[in-house]
Amino acid sequence: MNNNNYLPDLELSLCSKCAGVYYNDKKYHIERADPTQPIYEECMMCKNPHGYDFNIWVKPTLRCEKSHHCGGGRK
C-alpha cells in the first residue's frame, strides 16, 4: 500500500514489540516513517528506548448491503 498521498491517522514512535500490535491487527496499515532512521526514539507505549517512528492508517471498513442497518436487502 503506497500511502505517500495520504496523511497518516497516527504518527507514533514504537519499539518492535508495540509495532507488532498494529502489524497484527487487520484494522490498521503501518509503515516505518523513515526506513533509514539512524537514531532510536523512546517507544510511546512502553518507554523502551529502542523505538522507531511509524505512520499508521486506519483501514476503511466496508459493510455488506444485506447487513446495512436501513434494510439494504429488503424489498
Side-chain angles (χ1 to χ4, degrees), residues 14-24 43 45-46 48 50 54:
L14 301 169
C15 66
S16 59
K17 183 177 179 180
C18 293
V21 172
Y22 289 96
Y23 278 117
N24 294 326
C43 177
M45 296 183 80
C46 71
N48 182 333
H50 297 282
F54 287 90

Side-chain angles (χ1 to χ4, degrees), residues 3-19:
N3 291 307
N4 293 336
N5 299 329
Y6 303 103
L7 293 175
D9 295 310
L10 297 168
E11 295 178 18
L12 299 174
S13 295
L14 301 169
C15 66
S16 59
K17 183 177 179 180
C18 293

Side-chain angles (χ1 to χ4, degrees), residues 9-10 12 28 35 49 59 68 71 73 75:
D9 295 310
L10 297 168
L12 299 174
Y28 299 100
K59 292 181 181 178
H68 194 269
K75 291 186 179 183

Side-chain angles (χ1 to χ4, degrees), residues 18-65:
C18 293
V21 172
Y22 289 96
Y23 278 117
N24 294 326
D25 192 334
K26 296 188 186 297
K27 292 184 233 174
Y28 299 100
H29 176 75
I30 181 171
E31 291 180 357
R32 289 268 305 269
D34 179 8
T36 61
Q37 181 180 350
I39 299 172
Y40 291 119
E41 300 285 337
E42 183 179 80
C43 177
M44 296 174 102
M45 296 183 80
C46 71
K47 306 300 182 197
N48 182 333
H50 297 282
Y52 290 107
D53 295 331
F54 287 90
N55 292 329
I56 302 169
W57 292 266
V58 178
K59 292 181 181 178
T61 58
L62 299 176
R63 289 195 231 184
C64 175
E65 286 184 26

